[in-house]
Amino acid sequence: MSTPADRIITALRTGHEELAALVRDLKEDDLLRPSGASEWQVSQVLSHLGSGAEITLASLDAARTGAPGPDGDFNKGVWARWDAMAPAEHAAGFLAANQRLVEAYEALDAETRSTLRIDLGFLPEPVDLATAARFRLSEFALHQWDVEVAFNPFAAVTPEATSLLLD
């Protein structure tokens, strides 16, 4: 039987594959287009998603190993590194970082998926995997739309993500 965490991880994989198929073919001019996020170009949305994947993976790894989670200084360092990248590096970096995050979620066994608690750093206490992954899905799905709408004015937030986020 599929758990909420399983369904969210599947939606993260589906979203990644859909967005990666678009991103792999983007040229420099495409990356500089305005995105659906009014202040950002497509490459900046990819930078945000890539840096977010890196920070989320650090939180997941900390929870799995019992190490302290990333702090504000860690996050600032990640953001500074991503901010310094060129648009093509944002695209390539997003593809790699988000792939690593999705693979890390997928690698968790059933027991870990049901018992792991993750400190996201901004909530009063650690949350279960489904809650943590739902935060990522929310951010990912909306920013996936920000990228897609730059190339397709009829783009929509994916139904799979929408049903899980509105649940």
Side-chain angles (χ1 to χ4, degrees):
M1 185 165 123
S2 180
T3 69
D6 297 336
R7 291 189 299 273
I8 294 164
I9 291 167
T10 298
L12 285 166
R13 166 56 70 194
T14 301
H16 174 77
E17 294 302 327
E18 290 171 356
L19 188 53
L22 172 64
V23 170
R24 283 186 199 103
D25 293 332
L26 296 181
K27 308 294 184 237
E28 185 79 17
D29 287 350
D30 297 325
L31 294 168
L32 299 177
R33 281 186 185 204
S35 74
S38 63
E39 303 286 319
W40 286 346
Q41 298 171 337
V42 167
S43 73
Q44 291 168 304
V45 175
L46 296 173
S47 173
H48 178 71
L49 284 173
S51 63
E54 198 173 315
I55 292 166
T56 301
L57 181 57
S59 295
L60 178 62
D61 287 344
R64 287 180 41 245
T65 63
D71 61 11
D73 288 337
F74 174 84
N75 295 354
K76 288 176 187 174
V78 170
W79 294 325
R81 187 168 30 79
W82 281 81
D83 287 346
M85 291 180 186
E89 292 172 312
H90 289 155
F94 157 73
L95 290 169
N98 203 65
Q99 177 71 22
R100 283 190 300 273
L101 174 61
V102 173
E103 287 175 350
Y105 280 135
E106 291 170 335
L108 299 172
D109 62 38
E111 174 70 16
T112 303
R113 288 183 183 200
S114 68
T115 61
L116 188 67
R117 297 296 176 262
I118 302 170
D119 183 355
L120 297 178
F122 58 88
L123 295 175
E125 60 186 47
V127 296
D128 65 1
L129 179 65
T131 300
R134 188 174 275 116
F135 271 104
R136 176 61 184 176
L137 181 61
S138 174
E139 180 173 42
F140 185 89
L142 296 175
H143 288 307
Q144 177 182 359
W145 176 85
D146 286 333
V147 172
E148 290 176 353
V149 77
F151 304 95
N152 174 6
F154 301 105
V157 176
T158 62
E160 183 178 14
T162 302
S163 66
L164 290 165
L165 295 172
L166 295 177
D167 184 19

